[in-house]
Every structure is written in C-alpha cells, then in structure tokens.
Amino acid sequence: DAGVTQSPTHLIKTRGQQVTLRCSPKSGHDTVSWYQQALGQGPQFIFQYYEEEERQRGNFPDRFSGHQFPNYSSELNVNALLLGDSALYLCASSSPGNTQYFGPGTRLTVL
Amino acid sequence: GIQVEQSPPDLILQEGANSTLRCNFSDSVNNLQWFHQNPWGQLINLFYIPSGTKQNGRLSATTVATERYSLLYISSSQTTDSGVYFCAVGANFGNEKLTFGTGTRLTIIP
C-alpha cells in the first residue's frame, strides 16, 4: 500500500514565477492538507481540501491556491513567487475520524 | 489560535540514554500527534494521543489533557532516533488543521 506521494522532490524557481506542486493521498484517504515548513520551524497549515472543495484555510495570501481532483489527488499553486516562499511543502492525507499522514515533501527554492 | 510550546529546543545524549520531551498547549484539544522528522524531511507518525498513555517499543507518550501537556519518552536511545520531534495539536478530531510546535532537535552520539 503506497503512502502519500508528492512531486517533484525538489524545485528551483525565480522570483515572480508560478509553481505547481502535486500530491497523491494514501489509499482510502479522501482529505488532503497542505503545510509549509520554513527552515528551522514547524510546519504551518496552508489549507485543506475535501470533496474537491477548500474546507479550511490558514493565514496565507491568495497567491496560494489549490485544487482537489475526483481521485482525491491535489495540487498546490503558488503565484508571483517571493524569496520567502522558499520552504519544504508537505502534503498530508487523512480519512474521516483518522490521523493525518504526511508525504516526503517538495523542497522549493526561490532565487 | 492554539499555541504549542515544546521543550527543550535541543537535546544531545549519549547512545543508550533515556529522554523526555515535553509539549504544552494553550487550549483544549481533541487531536494530538507526535512526529519524528528525519534528516530528509519526512514526518513519521509516532503517536496519536489526545489523552492517556501509549507505548510502542522504546517509545511511549502520555497526554494529560486537563493540564494541557504531553510527554514523549524515548528509552535506550539509538543513533537512528536523531532528528526533530514535533508535537501537533488540533481542536477537532481527525481532519482539522494541525498546529505544530517548534520542535525538539535530538542528537544521539555513538
């Protein structure tokens, strides 16, 4: 049984560009959450998707958007990249009444 | 929102030693998880423990919900235990957002 998968593993972009990160949830999970982890800090909640809708959102600007597909996979889009967007982006999946399981992350570097 | 504090921020121990990591949280929670983040960034689930005590091999955890703290115990440390340990809490069971602490960096020296 595959766990949560994310792609790509690493990504380098320049300021002002746009990026799309992808996540496939663990089998049987229908909820996907995205977190941003800056260097030396704990992960911070960006948003959560359930039934293809954004169910909850953290304190992140509208430059951060997402999507969930009918197969429960999800994308995180970030527009107009800033240097401060450099971080490890983590995806977590879960099913109702159960804990969240995390993928290996995508490390984004903005130059 | 809920505040989560972890202590100590750093811990360096000899292989074979025991350790206790603490997590304090500012409000009632229905979800508390402990994670180990390995050097490659992967967050590994250790315990789901909003209350009570659980054990898994050399690791055990206790959460006293009424006093808003949780403890993670690691016995007979091994070098593979090195990494950052995070406590994360949620106000609602299961699917709500997790609020993470700043972590405890554990280094086990051979």
Side-chain angles (χ1 to χ4, degrees), chain A residues 31 35 37 41-43 45 48 55-56 88 90 94-104 107, chain B residues 31 33 35 37 39-43 45 48 86 93-103 105:
Chain A
T31 302
Y35 293 80
Q37 186 178 18
Q41 312 223 348
F45 176 79
Q48 183 179 84
R55 182 160 75 171
Q56 198 172 12
L88 179 67
L90 295 162
S94 56
S95 58
N98 288 289
T99 59
Q100 294 184 28
Y101 289 86
F102 283 79
R107 195 167 296 278
Chain B
N31 183 356
Q33 295 183 236
F35 296 92
Q37 188 166 42
W40 297 272
Q42 174 80 56
L43 279 171
N45 291 58
Y48 167 77
F86 287 103
F93 179 78
N95 286 327
E96 300 299 324
K97 72 172 187 178
L98 291 176
T99 299
F100 282 76
T102 50
R105 180 174 297 277

Side-chain angles (χ1 to χ4, degrees), chain A residues 6 9 12 16-18 20 25 41-43 49-50 53 74 86 101:
Chain A
Q6 293 186 241
T9 306
I12 299 175
Q17 286 190 310
Q18 178 264 345
T20 298
Q41 312 223 348
Y49 276 84
Y50 173 70
E53 302 227 341
S74 177
S86 295
Y101 289 86

Side-chain angles (χ1 to χ4, degrees), chain A residues 8 10-22 78 80-83 85-86 106-111:
Chain A
H10 294 88
L11 205 49
I12 299 175
K13 292 285 188 178
T14 57
R15 280 176 294 176
Q17 286 190 310
Q18 178 264 345
V19 68
T20 298
L21 310 182
R22 296 177 175 82
V78 187
L81 284 167
L82 305 174
L83 295 179
D85 295 331
S86 295
T106 294
R107 195 167 296 278
L108 173 65
T109 302
V110 182
L111 302 177

Side-chain angles (χ1 to χ4, degrees), chain B residues 16-97:
Chain B
N18 301 329
S19 57
T20 301
L21 284 57
R22 187 177 178 103
C23 170
N24 293 332
F25 44 94
S26 62
D27 207 343
S28 299
V29 298
N30 285 321
N31 183 356
L32 189 147
Q33 295 183 236
W34 281 97
F35 296 92
H36 174 211
Q37 188 166 42
N38 66 23
W40 297 272
Q42 174 80 56
L43 279 171
I44 299 163
N45 291 58
L46 297 177
F47 294 103
Y48 167 77
I49 187 166
S51 64
T53 297
K54 289 186 178 179
Q55 179 157 7
N56 184 4
R58 296 182 295 105
L59 274 61
S60 63
T62 295
T63 298
V64 183
T66 54
E67 297 186 24
R68 299 180 185 169
Y69 73 88
S70 183
L71 302 174
L72 177 68
Y73 305 98
I74 305 174
S75 64
S76 304
S77 298
Q78 300 175 358
T79 55
T80 52
D81 295 331
S82 295
V84 183
Y85 289 80
F86 287 103
C87 166
V89 303
N92 295 290
F93 179 78
N95 286 327
E96 300 299 324
K97 72 172 187 178

